[in-house]
Amino acid sequence: MSARPLATRRGWAHLVLTGAHGQDTALARPDVIATWLDTLRRAGFEGVRTGAVGPGVAADLTAAGFTAVQDLVLLSCDLTTGPRAGADPRIDRIRTRWARQETDIEEVLGIDAASFGPDWALDRVAFDEACAATQRSRLMACRDVDGTAAGFVLAGATAGSGFVQRLAVIPDRRRGGTATRLLAQAHRWLAGSGCSTSVVNTETSNEAALGLYQRFGYAPLPYGLRVLERPLGDR
Ligand SMILES: CC(C)(COP(=O)(O)OP(=O)(O)OC[C@H]1O[C@@H](n2cnc3c(N)ncnc32)[C@H](O)[C@@H]1OP(=O)(O)O)[C@@H](O)C(=O)NCCC(=O)NCCS
């Protein structure tokens, strides 16, 4: 467990729980959780929000006074079947060592904020954590002829398992096939990186994303994830 300031809410902490995505993963004894909360209080935080956690961890946190603020469905698709997309010249594959990486990332974080809103947008630290969550990761942007990015996808691969970590298209460019192009290229990269499956999560109420993923053959896993939070004023 580690914690850092939550960029989207002043005075709150973001609780980073590594490996908390599993269906049966349990967290820690209630007294240990109480110690974490005390530590955060003493550090001056007024509240705490988790990242996405599996049902076992969510149950432990609920017992410790946390409330779910986001319900996510986990979806998986097989990358070994079906046609693989060819290279798409509109998709810019951004390597971390490229000199213009910083401007690319700023542009992408702007799209992210416009898409997910101020309370759920990725800040730079969270973006770096998402990149580091898998052994390999690749950021791809879909560019207009003038070079402006209309959308992006962040894909990650670990030991044959692929993940679509983040996907967004600027609001006034939606329903034009941008996400379809991005996801096809993410799958191309994941399959080329040796992944046989791809997993993504999205809010249970996100009809647009669910429609998109369904078209690519994603199906729900038997369990979902939750983001939880808790004010720290009470004990
Ligand atoms: C989800 C999102 C990425 C889709 O981007 P997009 O470029 O508009 O998607 P596409 O144009 O490629 O649409 C492909 C298909 O997805 C589905 N879809 C997309 N938007 C939809 C909507 N608003 N309602 C229902 N289905 C939708 C449709 O099946 C669509 O095919 P169609 O247009 O032929 O009907 C975009 O709405 C977005 O950025 N949303 C906010 C961020 C987000 O939710 N990201 C994904 C969650 S992790």
Side-chain angles (χ1 to χ4, degrees):
M1 187 285 286
S2 65
R4 61 173 173 79
L6 180 66
T8 53
R9 200 181 297 173
R10 186 186 292 271
W12 277 54
H14 174 76
L15 196 61
V16 182
L17 298 162
T18 313
H21 281 78
Q23 183 168 13
D24 302 317
T25 314
L27 188 54
R29 295 196 323 261
D31 56 321
V32 177
I33 300 174
T35 309
W36 294 351
L37 298 180
D38 266 343
T39 305
L40 292 171
R41 271 188 207 101
R42 280 201 304 277
F45 289 110
E46 294 160 19
V48 57
R49 178 188 284 178
T50 68
V53 301
V57 172
D60 291 342
L61 291 169
T62 303
F66 282 75
T67 309
V69 289
Q70 203 177 47
D71 275 312
L72 303 159
V73 57
L74 262 178
L75 304 154
S76 171
C77 102
D78 183 352
L79 297 176
T80 61
T81 56
R84 186 165 327 166
D88 185 334
R90 280 180 53 189
I91 306 292
D92 187 3
R93 294 169 62 167
I94 301 163
R95 290 172 196 276
T96 43
R97 284 191 292 276
W98 280 15
R100 60 195 178 83
Q101 178 203 3
E102 289 304 320
T103 31
D104 286 330
I105 293 174
E106 251 173 55
E107 191 177 24
V108 153
L109 293 182
I111 296 171
D112 195 88
S115 297
F116 291 96
D119 204 30
W120 294 99
L122 286 181
D123 68 332
R124 182 55 201 263
V125 177
F127 176 82
D128 288 344
E129 281 172 359
C131 291
T134 50
Q135 287 167 352
R136 298 184 64 203
S137 61
R138 184 59 54 89
L139 177 63
M140 299 171 212
C142 186
R143 296 203 180 276
D144 293 336
V145 277
D146 68 358
T148 316
F152 77 94
V153 62
L154 176 66
T158 295
S161 299
F163 303 90
V164 176
Q165 300 277 36
R166 203 76 170 175
L167 168 68
V169 173
I170 49 177
D172 63 1
R173 299 297 308 278
R174 291 184 189 158
R175 275 337 255 274
T178 301
T180 301
R181 302 174 84 117
L182 284 162
L183 196 53
Q185 293 303 303
H187 282 189
R188 180 181 150 85
W189 179 79
L190 288 171
S193 301
C195 297
S196 53
T197 57
S198 172
V199 170
V200 65
N201 71 64
T202 192
E203 263 191 279
T204 49
S205 59
N206 191 339
E207 297 294 335
L210 290 170
L212 171 72
Y213 295 133
Q214 197 173 25
R215 278 175 51 144
F216 275 79
Y218 282 84
L221 291 176
Y223 68 98
L225 303 176
R226 282 189 153 165
V227 175
L228 301 101
E229 61 183 44
R230 185 196 198 285
L232 289 171
D234 51 336
R235 277 163 199 274

mmCIF file of all heavy atoms in Angstrom, residues 76-122:
data_model
loop_
_atom_site.group_PDB
_atom_site.id
_atom_site.type_symbol
_atom_site.label_atom_id
_atom_site.label_comp_id
_atom_site.label_asym_id
_atom_site.label_seq_id
_atom_site.Cartn_x
_atom_site.Cartn_y
_atom_site.Cartn_z
ATOM 1 N N SER A 76 -13.275 -8.952 -21.378
ATOM 2 C CA SER A 76 -12.099 -9.591 -21.957
ATOM 3 C C SER A 76 -12.392 -10.007 -23.387
ATOM 4 O O SER A 76 -13.528 -10.357 -23.717
ATOM 5 C CB SER A 76 -11.757 -10.830 -21.118
ATOM 6 O OG SER A 76 -10.770 -11.583 -21.749
ATOM 7 N N CYS A 77 -11.383 -9.965 -24.248
ATOM 8 C CA CYS A 77 -11.565 -10.484 -25.607
ATOM 9 C C CYS A 77 -10.343 -11.276 -26.048
ATOM 10 O O CYS A 77 -9.234 -11.063 -25.552
ATOM 11 C CB CYS A 77 -11.955 -9.371 -26.565
ATOM 12 S SG CYS A 77 -10.707 -8.730 -27.608
ATOM 13 N N ASP A 78 -10.601 -12.222 -26.934
ATOM 14 C CA ASP A 78 -9.575 -13.125 -27.455
ATOM 15 C C ASP A 78 -8.891 -12.444 -28.638
ATOM 16 O O ASP A 78 -9.560 -12.040 -29.586
ATOM 17 C CB ASP A 78 -10.301 -14.412 -27.895
ATOM 18 C CG ASP A 78 -9.345 -15.478 -28.383
ATOM 19 O OD1 ASP A 78 -8.142 -15.191 -28.535
ATOM 20 O OD2 ASP A 78 -9.823 -16.606 -28.607
ATOM 21 N N LEU A 79 -7.578 -12.312 -28.568
ATOM 22 C CA LEU A 79 -6.862 -11.634 -29.671
ATOM 23 C C LEU A 79 -6.337 -12.614 -30.711
ATOM 24 O O LEU A 79 -5.725 -12.198 -31.695
ATOM 25 C CB LEU A 79 -5.679 -10.839 -29.101
ATOM 26 C CG LEU A 79 -6.016 -9.689 -28.150
ATOM 27 C CD1 LEU A 79 -4.735 -9.066 -27.601
ATOM 28 C CD2 LEU A 79 -6.862 -8.633 -28.839
ATOM 29 N N THR A 80 -6.563 -13.920 -30.476
ATOM 30 C CA THR A 80 -5.967 -14.895 -31.392
ATOM 31 C C THR A 80 -6.883 -15.215 -32.566
ATOM 32 O O THR A 80 -6.474 -15.860 -33.518
ATOM 33 C CB THR A 80 -5.627 -16.213 -30.649
ATOM 34 O OG1 THR A 80 -6.844 -16.761 -30.121
ATOM 35 C CG2 THR A 80 -4.634 -15.965 -29.527
ATOM 36 N N THR A 81 -8.151 -14.800 -32.469
ATOM 37 C CA THR A 81 -9.083 -15.107 -33.557
ATOM 38 C C THR A 81 -9.458 -13.808 -34.282
ATOM 39 O O THR A 81 -9.255 -12.717 -33.754
ATOM 40 C CB THR A 81 -10.364 -15.766 -33.012
ATOM 41 O OG1 THR A 81 -10.920 -14.896 -32.026
ATOM 42 C CG2 THR A 81 -10.078 -17.115 -32.377
ATOM 43 N N GLY A 82 -10.017 -13.950 -35.445
ATOM 44 C CA GLY A 82 -10.495 -12.788 -36.204
ATOM 45 C C GLY A 82 -9.356 -12.107 -36.951
ATOM 46 O O GLY A 82 -8.182 -12.363 -36.692
ATOM 47 N N PRO A 83 -9.724 -11.232 -37.877
ATOM 48 C CA PRO A 83 -8.709 -10.575 -38.689
ATOM 49 C C PRO A 83 -7.916 -9.554 -37.882
ATOM 50 O O PRO A 83 -8.446 -8.941 -36.964
ATOM 51 C CB PRO A 83 -9.542 -9.872 -39.770
ATOM 52 C CG PRO A 83 -10.902 -9.726 -39.196
ATOM 53 C CD PRO A 83 -11.091 -10.805 -38.181
ATOM 54 N N ARG A 84 -6.635 -9.412 -38.198
ATOM 55 C CA ARG A 84 -5.826 -8.394 -37.522
ATOM 56 C C ARG A 84 -5.722 -7.162 -38.425
ATOM 57 O O ARG A 84 -5.481 -7.286 -39.621
ATOM 58 C CB ARG A 84 -4.431 -8.936 -37.229
ATOM 59 C CG ARG A 84 -3.682 -7.914 -36.410
ATOM 60 C CD ARG A 84 -2.434 -8.366 -35.736
ATOM 61 N NE ARG A 84 -2.334 -9.716 -35.255
ATOM 62 C CZ ARG A 84 -1.151 -10.247 -34.904
ATOM 63 N NH1 ARG A 84 -0.047 -9.544 -35.021
ATOM 64 N NH2 ARG A 84 -1.083 -11.469 -34.455
ATOM 65 N N ALA A 85 -5.922 -5.963 -37.840
ATOM 66 C CA ALA A 85 -5.882 -4.724 -38.627
ATOM 67 C C ALA A 85 -4.481 -4.495 -39.191
ATOM 68 O O ALA A 85 -3.487 -4.853 -38.562
ATOM 69 C CB ALA A 85 -6.278 -3.553 -37.731
ATOM 70 N N GLY A 86 -4.433 -3.873 -40.368
ATOM 71 C CA GLY A 86 -3.150 -3.445 -40.908
ATOM 72 C C GLY A 86 -2.726 -2.151 -40.224
ATOM 73 O O GLY A 86 -3.482 -1.573 -39.441
ATOM 74 N N ALA A 87 -1.505 -1.695 -40.518
ATOM 75 C CA ALA A 87 -1.030 -0.438 -39.926
ATOM 76 C C ALA A 87 -1.919 0.701 -40.412
ATOM 77 O O ALA A 87 -2.369 0.704 -41.552
ATOM 78 C CB ALA A 87 0.410 -0.201 -40.326
ATOM 79 N N ASP A 88 -2.212 1.668 -39.538
ATOM 80 C CA ASP A 88 -3.084 2.798 -39.869
ATOM 81 C C ASP A 88 -2.241 4.068 -39.841
ATOM 82 O O ASP A 88 -1.726 4.444 -38.792
ATOM 83 C CB ASP A 88 -4.214 2.856 -38.822
ATOM 84 C CG ASP A 88 -5.257 3.915 -39.132
ATOM 85 O OD1 ASP A 88 -4.902 4.898 -39.819
ATOM 86 O OD2 ASP A 88 -6.402 3.762 -38.678
ATOM 87 N N PRO A 89 -2.099 4.741 -40.990
ATOM 88 C CA PRO A 89 -1.202 5.906 -41.036
ATOM 89 C C PRO A 89 -1.660 7.061 -40.160
ATOM 90 O O PRO A 89 -0.865 7.936 -39.830
ATOM 91 C CB PRO A 89 -1.220 6.312 -42.521
ATOM 92 C CG PRO A 89 -2.428 5.672 -43.095
ATOM 93 C CD PRO A 89 -2.718 4.451 -42.280
ATOM 94 N N ARG A 90 -2.947 7.066 -39.762
ATOM 95 C CA ARG A 90 -3.405 8.181 -38.897
ATOM 96 C C ARG A 90 -3.065 7.953 -37.426
ATOM 97 O O ARG A 90 -3.241 8.820 -36.595
ATOM 98 C CB ARG A 90 -4.919 8.357 -39.042
ATOM 99 C CG ARG A 90 -5.280 9.124 -40.304
ATOM 100 C CD ARG A 90 -6.760 9.287 -40.410
ATOM 101 N NE ARG A 90 -7.368 9.873 -39.232
ATOM 102 C CZ ARG A 90 -8.691 9.938 -39.044
ATOM 103 N NH1 ARG A 90 -9.508 9.459 -39.948
ATOM 104 N NH2 ARG A 90 -9.180 10.486 -37.949
ATOM 105 N N ILE A 91 -2.594 6.756 -37.112
ATOM 106 C CA ILE A 91 -2.293 6.466 -35.706
ATOM 107 C C ILE A 91 -0.804 6.665 -35.446
ATOM 108 O O ILE A 91 0.052 6.034 -36.058
ATOM 109 C CB ILE A 91 -2.703 5.024 -35.330
ATOM 110 C CG1 ILE A 91 -4.177 4.771 -35.677
ATOM 111 C CG2 ILE A 91 -2.423 4.780 -33.850
ATOM 112 C CD1 ILE A 91 -5.190 5.530 -34.871
ATOM 113 N N ASP A 92 -0.542 7.558 -34.512
ATOM 114 C CA ASP A 92 0.816 7.911 -34.113
ATOM 115 C C ASP A 92 1.165 7.062 -32.897
ATOM 116 O O ASP A 92 0.500 7.139 -31.865
ATOM 117 C CB ASP A 92 0.770 9.406 -33.726
ATOM 118 C CG ASP A 92 2.135 9.971 -33.460
ATOM 119 O OD1 ASP A 92 3.117 9.244 -33.624
ATOM 120 O OD2 ASP A 92 2.175 11.154 -33.088
ATOM 121 N N ARG A 93 2.182 6.203 -33.050
ATOM 122 C CA ARG A 93 2.570 5.335 -31.924
ATOM 123 C C ARG A 93 3.689 6.028 -31.171
ATOM 124 O O ARG A 93 4.781 6.190 -31.683
ATOM 125 C CB ARG A 93 2.983 3.968 -32.457
ATOM 126 C CG ARG A 93 1.799 3.250 -33.090
ATOM 127 C CD ARG A 93 2.222 2.034 -33.835
ATOM 128 N NE ARG A 93 2.846 1.077 -32.934
ATOM 129 C CZ ARG A 93 3.085 -0.182 -33.270
ATOM 130 N NH1 ARG A 93 2.764 -0.622 -34.461
ATOM 131 N NH2 ARG A 93 3.661 -0.998 -32.412
ATOM 132 N N ILE A 94 3.387 6.449 -29.967
ATOM 133 C CA ILE A 94 4.295 7.340 -29.243
ATOM 134 C C ILE A 94 5.193 6.532 -28.304
ATOM 135 O O ILE A 94 4.724 5.926 -27.347
ATOM 136 C CB ILE A 94 3.481 8.400 -28.454
ATOM 137 C CG1 ILE A 94 2.619 9.196 -29.447
ATOM 138 C CG2 ILE A 94 4.394 9.307 -27.651
ATOM 139 C CD1 ILE A 94 1.490 9.963 -28.811
ATOM 140 N N ARG A 95 6.463 6.568 -28.600
ATOM 141 C CA ARG A 95 7.429 5.871 -27.743
ATOM 142 C C ARG A 95 7.870 6.811 -26.636
ATOM 143 O O ARG A 95 8.022 8.001 -26.868
ATOM 144 C CB ARG A 95 8.651 5.431 -28.562
ATOM 145 C CG ARG A 95 8.349 4.327 -29.521
ATOM 146 C CD ARG A 95 9.544 4.083 -30.421
ATOM 147 N NE ARG A 95 9.167 3.301 -31.573
ATOM 148 C CZ ARG A 95 9.093 1.988 -31.594
ATOM 149 N NH1 ARG A 95 9.391 1.312 -30.505
ATOM 150 N NH2 ARG A 95 8.736 1.345 -32.676
ATOM 151 N N THR A 96 8.113 6.237 -25.463
ATOM 152 C CA THR A 96 8.437 7.095 -24.318
ATOM 153 C C THR A 96 9.737 7.865 -24.509
ATOM 154 O O THR A 96 9.936 8.902 -23.896
ATOM 155 C CB THR A 96 8.534 6.258 -23.023
ATOM 156 O OG1 THR A 96 9.242 5.086 -23.328
ATOM 157 C CG2 THR A 96 7.174 5.938 -22.484
ATOM 158 N N ARG A 97 10.622 7.397 -25.350
ATOM 159 C CA ARG A 97 11.909 8.090 -25.471
ATOM 160 C C ARG A 97 11.891 9.190 -26.528
ATOM 161 O O ARG A 97 12.868 9.871 -26.721
ATOM 162 C CB ARG A 97 13.031 7.093 -25.768
ATOM 163 C CG ARG A 97 13.440 6.302 -24.538
ATOM 164 C CD ARG A 97 14.719 5.529 -24.782
ATOM 165 N NE ARG A 97 14.515 4.468 -25.749
ATOM 166 C CZ ARG A 97 14.046 3.261 -25.439
ATOM 167 N NH1 ARG A 97 13.765 2.965 -24.195
ATOM 168 N NH2 ARG A 97 13.877 2.348 -26.361
ATOM 169 N N TRP A 98 10.775 9.328 -27.242
ATOM 170 C CA TRP A 98 10.741 10.356 -28.276
ATOM 171 C C TRP A 98 10.879 11.740 -27.649
ATOM 172 O O TRP A 98 10.324 12.013 -26.577
ATOM 173 C CB TRP A 98 9.427 10.319 -29.051
ATOM 174 C CG TRP A 98 9.406 9.249 -30.092
ATOM 175 C CD1 TRP A 98 10.271 8.191 -30.197
ATOM 176 C CD2 TRP A 98 8.478 9.109 -31.164
ATOM 177 N NE1 TRP A 98 9.925 7.410 -31.255
ATOM 178 C CE2 TRP A 98 8.836 7.943 -31.875
ATOM 179 C CE3 TRP A 98 7.381 9.846 -31.587
ATOM 180 C CZ2 TRP A 98 8.147 7.512 -32.986
ATOM 181 C CZ3 TRP A 98 6.688 9.418 -32.698
ATOM 182 C CH2 TRP A 98 7.062 8.266 -33.390
ATOM 183 N N ALA A 99 11.575 12.632 -28.368
ATOM 184 C CA ALA A 99 11.834 13.969 -27.843
ATOM 185 C C ALA A 99 10.544 14.734 -27.570
ATOM 186 O O ALA A 99 10.456 15.511 -26.627
ATOM 187 C CB ALA A 99 12.700 14.736 -28.818
ATOM 188 N N ARG A 100 9.500 14.521 -28.398
ATOM 189 C CA ARG A 100 8.288 15.310 -28.216
ATOM 190 C C ARG A 100 7.283 14.633 -27.277
ATOM 191 O O ARG A 100 6.116 15.002 -27.229
ATOM 192 C CB ARG A 100 7.646 15.611 -29.564
ATOM 193 C CG ARG A 100 7.245 14.401 -30.347
ATOM 194 C CD ARG A 100 6.971 14.794 -31.797
ATOM 195 N NE ARG A 100 6.617 13.635 -32.586
ATOM 196 C CZ ARG A 100 5.415 13.121 -32.639
ATOM 197 N NH1 ARG A 100 4.450 13.661 -31.950
ATOM 198 N NH2 ARG A 100 5.171 12.077 -33.382
ATOM 199 N N GLN A 101 7.764 13.681 -26.520
ATOM 200 C CA GLN A 101 6.873 12.939 -25.630
ATOM 201 C C GLN A 101 6.063 13.861 -24.708
ATOM 202 O O GLN A 101 4.869 13.673 -24.523
ATOM 203 C CB GLN A 101 7.712 11.980 -24.791
ATOM 204 C CG GLN A 101 6.898 11.196 -23.794
ATOM 205 C CD GLN A 101 7.746 10.704 -22.637
ATOM 206 O OE1 GLN A 101 8.921 10.998 -22.551
ATOM 207 N NE2 GLN A 101 7.136 9.995 -21.734
ATOM 208 N N GLU A 102 6.711 14.868 -24.132
ATOM 209 C CA GLU A 102 6.023 15.699 -23.147
ATOM 210 C C GLU A 102 4.822 16.423 -23.754
ATOM 211 O O GLU A 102 3.762 16.490 -23.155
ATOM 212 C CB GLU A 102 6.984 16.693 -22.499
ATOM 213 C CG GLU A 102 7.984 16.044 -21.554
ATOM 214 C CD GLU A 102 7.316 15.216 -20.452
ATOM 215 O OE1 GLU A 102 6.284 15.641 -19.923
ATOM 216 O OE2 GLU A 102 7.838 14.120 -20.155
ATOM 217 N N THR A 103 5.000 17.014 -24.957
ATOM 218 C CA THR A 103 3.863 17.704 -25.587
ATOM 219 C C THR A 103 2.777 16.702 -25.970
ATOM 220 O O THR A 103 1.583 16.992 -25.838
ATOM 221 C CB THR A 103 4.294 18.482 -26.850
ATOM 222 O OG1 THR A 103 5.372 17.811 -27.450
ATOM 223 C CG2 THR A 103 4.605 19.907 -26.569
ATOM 224 N N ASP A 104 3.177 15.527 -26.416
ATOM 225 C CA ASP A 104 2.186 14.496 -26.748
ATOM 226 C C ASP A 104 1.365 14.142 -25.513
ATOM 227 O O ASP A 104 0.151 14.028 -25.572
ATOM 228 C CB ASP A 104 2.888 13.218 -27.241
ATOM 229 C CG ASP A 104 3.429 13.364 -28.644
ATOM 230 O OD1 ASP A 104 2.839 14.115 -29.427
ATOM 231 O OD2 ASP A 104 4.459 12.736 -28.937
ATOM 232 N N ILE A 105 2.053 13.975 -24.399
ATOM 233 C CA ILE A 105 1.345 13.546 -23.190
ATOM 234 C C ILE A 105 0.429 14.665 -22.691
ATOM 235 O O ILE A 105 -0.700 14.418 -22.280
ATOM 236 C CB ILE A 105 2.346 13.047 -22.120
ATOM 237 C CG1 ILE A 105 2.987 11.757 -22.628
ATOM 238 C CG2 ILE A 105 1.656 12.820 -20.780
ATOM 239 C CD1 ILE A 105 4.091 11.215 -21.781
ATOM 240 N N GLU A 106 0.896 15.886 -22.764
ATOM 241 C CA GLU A 106 0.035 17.017 -22.370
ATOM 242 C C GLU A 106 -1.245 17.036 -23.206
ATOM 243 O O GLU A 106 -2.342 17.242 -22.700
ATOM 244 C CB GLU A 106 0.775 18.325 -22.620
ATOM 245 C CG GLU A 106 1.197 19.035 -21.350
ATOM 246 C CD GLU A 106 2.068 20.219 -21.665
ATOM 247 O OE1 GLU A 106 1.630 21.073 -22.453
ATOM 248 O OE2 GLU A 106 3.184 20.259 -21.143
ATOM 249 N N GLU A 107 -1.085 16.814 -24.512
ATOM 250 C CA GLU A 107 -2.239 16.823 -25.420
ATOM 251 C C GLU A 107 -3.211 15.699 -25.043
ATOM 252 O O GLU A 107 -4.430 15.900 -24.958
ATOM 253 C CB GLU A 107 -1.728 16.645 -26.855
ATOM 254 C CG GLU A 107 -2.757 16.903 -27.911
ATOM 255 C CD GLU A 107 -2.172 16.775 -29.314
ATOM 256 O OE1 GLU A 107 -1.156 16.070 -29.488
ATOM 257 O OE2 GLU A 107 -2.755 17.378 -30.239
ATOM 258 N N VAL A 108 -2.650 14.542 -24.763
ATOM 259 C CA VAL A 108 -3.456 13.381 -24.414
ATOM 260 C C VAL A 108 -4.179 13.607 -23.071
ATOM 261 O O VAL A 108 -5.358 13.273 -22.919
ATOM 262 C CB VAL A 108 -2.504 12.148 -24.361
ATOM 263 C CG1 VAL A 108 -2.992 11.078 -23.424
ATOM 264 C CG2 VAL A 108 -2.289 11.599 -25.765
ATOM 265 N N LEU A 109 -3.487 14.210 -22.100
ATOM 266 C CA LEU A 109 -4.129 14.463 -20.810
ATOM 267 C C LEU A 109 -5.247 15.500 -20.955
ATOM 268 O O LEU A 109 -6.238 15.462 -20.218
ATOM 269 C CB LEU A 109 -3.097 14.897 -19.764
ATOM 270 C CG LEU A 109 -2.072 13.814 -19.368
ATOM 271 C CD1 LEU A 109 -1.125 14.333 -18.289
ATOM 272 C CD2 LEU A 109 -2.743 12.528 -18.911
ATOM 273 N N GLY A 110 -5.128 16.399 -21.915
ATOM 274 C CA GLY A 110 -6.205 17.350 -22.207
ATOM 275 C C GLY A 110 -7.439 16.628 -22.740
ATOM 276 O O GLY A 110 -8.573 16.928 -22.336
ATOM 277 N N ILE A 111 -7.230 15.659 -23.627
ATOM 278 C CA ILE A 111 -8.348 14.865 -24.161
ATOM 279 C C ILE A 111 -8.984 14.059 -23.026
ATOM 280 O O ILE A 111 -10.206 13.940 -22.913
ATOM 281 C CB ILE A 111 -7.858 13.912 -25.282
ATOM 282 C CG1 ILE A 111 -7.326 14.707 -26.461
ATOM 283 C CG2 ILE A 111 -8.974 12.967 -25.712
ATOM 284 C CD1 ILE A 111 -6.621 13.859 -27.518
ATOM 285 N N ASP A 112 -8.124 13.529 -22.156
ATOM 286 C CA ASP A 112 -8.602 12.731 -21.033
ATOM 287 C C ASP A 112 -9.505 13.567 -20.117
ATOM 288 O O ASP A 112 -10.593 13.137 -19.732
ATOM 289 C CB ASP A 112 -7.400 12.190 -20.240
ATOM 290 C CG ASP A 112 -7.795 11.083 -19.300
ATOM 291 O OD1 ASP A 112 -7.797 9.919 -19.730
ATOM 292 O OD2 ASP A 112 -8.137 11.387 -18.139
ATOM 293 N N ALA A 113 -9.056 14.798 -19.804
ATOM 294 C CA ALA A 113 -9.837 15.673 -18.915
ATOM 295 C C ALA A 113 -11.168 16.045 -19.566
ATOM 296 O O ALA A 113 -12.216 16.065 -18.905
ATOM 297 C CB ALA A 113 -9.030 16.922 -18.583
ATOM 298 N N ALA A 114 -11.138 16.325 -20.884
ATOM 299 C CA ALA A 114 -12.382 16.685 -21.581
ATOM 300 C C ALA A 114 -13.335 15.498 -21.640
ATOM 301 O O ALA A 114 -14.554 15.674 -21.714
ATOM 302 C CB ALA A 114 -12.048 17.162 -23.001
ATOM 303 N N SER A 115 -12.797 14.292 -21.572
ATOM 304 C CA SER A 115 -13.626 13.092 -21.710
ATOM 305 C C SER A 115 -14.154 12.564 -20.393
ATOM 306 O O SER A 115 -15.289 12.105 -20.310
ATOM 307 C CB SER A 115 -12.809 11.976 -22.392
ATOM 308 O OG SER A 115 -12.451 12.361 -23.687
ATOM 309 N N PHE A 116 -13.326 12.572 -19.351
ATOM 310 C CA PHE A 116 -13.727 11.950 -18.088
ATOM 311 C C PHE A 116 -14.172 12.966 -17.044
ATOM 312 O O PHE A 116 -14.703 12.598 -16.004
ATOM 313 C CB PHE A 116 -12.592 11.076 -17.543
ATOM 314 C CG PHE A 116 -12.348 9.837 -18.373
ATOM 315 C CD1 PHE A 116 -11.376 9.812 -19.355
ATOM 316 C CD2 PHE A 116 -13.121 8.701 -18.188
ATOM 317 C CE1 PHE A 116 -11.166 8.680 -20.133
ATOM 318 C CE2 PHE A 116 -12.919 7.561 -18.953
ATOM 319 C CZ PHE A 116 -11.936 7.553 -19.932
ATOM 320 N N GLY A 117 -13.927 14.264 -17.286
ATOM 321 C CA GLY A 117 -14.359 15.295 -16.343
ATOM 322 C C GLY A 117 -13.336 15.499 -15.240
ATOM 323 O O GLY A 117 -12.471 14.653 -15.008
ATOM 324 N N PRO A 118 -13.463 16.627 -14.513
ATOM 325 C CA PRO A 118 -12.430 17.010 -13.549
ATOM 326 C C PRO A 118 -12.237 16.025 -12.401
ATOM 327 O O PRO A 118 -11.141 15.889 -11.882
ATOM 328 C CB PRO A 118 -12.922 18.368 -13.017
ATOM 329 C CG PRO A 118 -14.341 18.484 -13.448
ATOM 330 C CD PRO A 118 -14.537 17.603 -14.639
ATOM 331 N N ASP A 119 -13.282 15.304 -12.015
ATOM 332 C CA ASP A 119 -13.147 14.421 -10.851
ATOM 333 C C ASP A 119 -12.473 13.085 -11.182
ATOM 334 O O ASP A 119 -12.001 12.380 -10.292
ATOM 335 C CB ASP A 119 -14.525 14.174 -10.238
ATOM 336 C CG ASP A 119 -14.417 13.786 -8.765
ATOM 337 O OD1 ASP A 119 -13.454 14.244 -8.105
ATOM 338 O OD2 ASP A 119 -15.265 13.016 -8.286
ATOM 339 N N TRP A 120 -12.426 12.735 -12.480
ATOM 340 C CA TRP A 120 -11.926 11.402 -12.832
ATOM 341 C C TRP A 120 -10.769 11.439 -13.826
ATOM 342 O O TRP A 120 -10.268 10.396 -14.242
ATOM 343 C CB TRP A 120 -13.069 10.547 -13.408
ATOM 344 C CG TRP A 120 -14.110 10.272 -12.381
ATOM 345 C CD1 TRP A 120 -15.294 10.932 -12.213
ATOM 346 C CD2 TRP A 120 -14.036 9.318 -11.311
ATOM 347 N NE1 TRP A 120 -15.969 10.439 -11.130
ATOM 348 C CE2 TRP A 120 -15.226 9.434 -10.552
ATOM 349 C CE3 TRP A 120 -13.097 8.363 -10.926
ATOM 350 C CZ2 TRP A 120 -15.494 8.645 -9.438
ATOM 351 C CZ3 TRP A 120 -13.365 7.573 -9.811
ATOM 352 C CH2 TRP A 120 -14.547 7.716 -9.087
ATOM 353 N N ALA A 121 -10.351 12.637 -14.196
ATOM 354 C CA ALA A 121 -9.278 12.745 -15.196
ATOM 355 C C ALA A 121 -7.950 12.230 -14.637
ATOM 356 O O ALA A 121 -7.712 12.277 -13.431
ATOM 357 C CB ALA A 121 -9.124 14.201 -15.610
ATOM 358 N N LEU A 122 -7.102 11.749 -15.524
ATOM 359 C CA LEU A 122 -5.744 11.341 -15.143
ATOM 360 C C LEU A 122 -4.868 12.573 -15.019
ATOM 361 O O LEU A 122 -4.886 13.425 -15.905
ATOM 362 C CB LEU A 122 -5.120 10.477 -16.238
ATOM 363 C CG LEU A 122 -5.562 9.033 -16.445
ATOM 364 C CD1 LEU A 122 -4.747 8.418 -17.572
ATOM 365 C CD2 LEU A 122 -5.400 8.217 -15.176
#
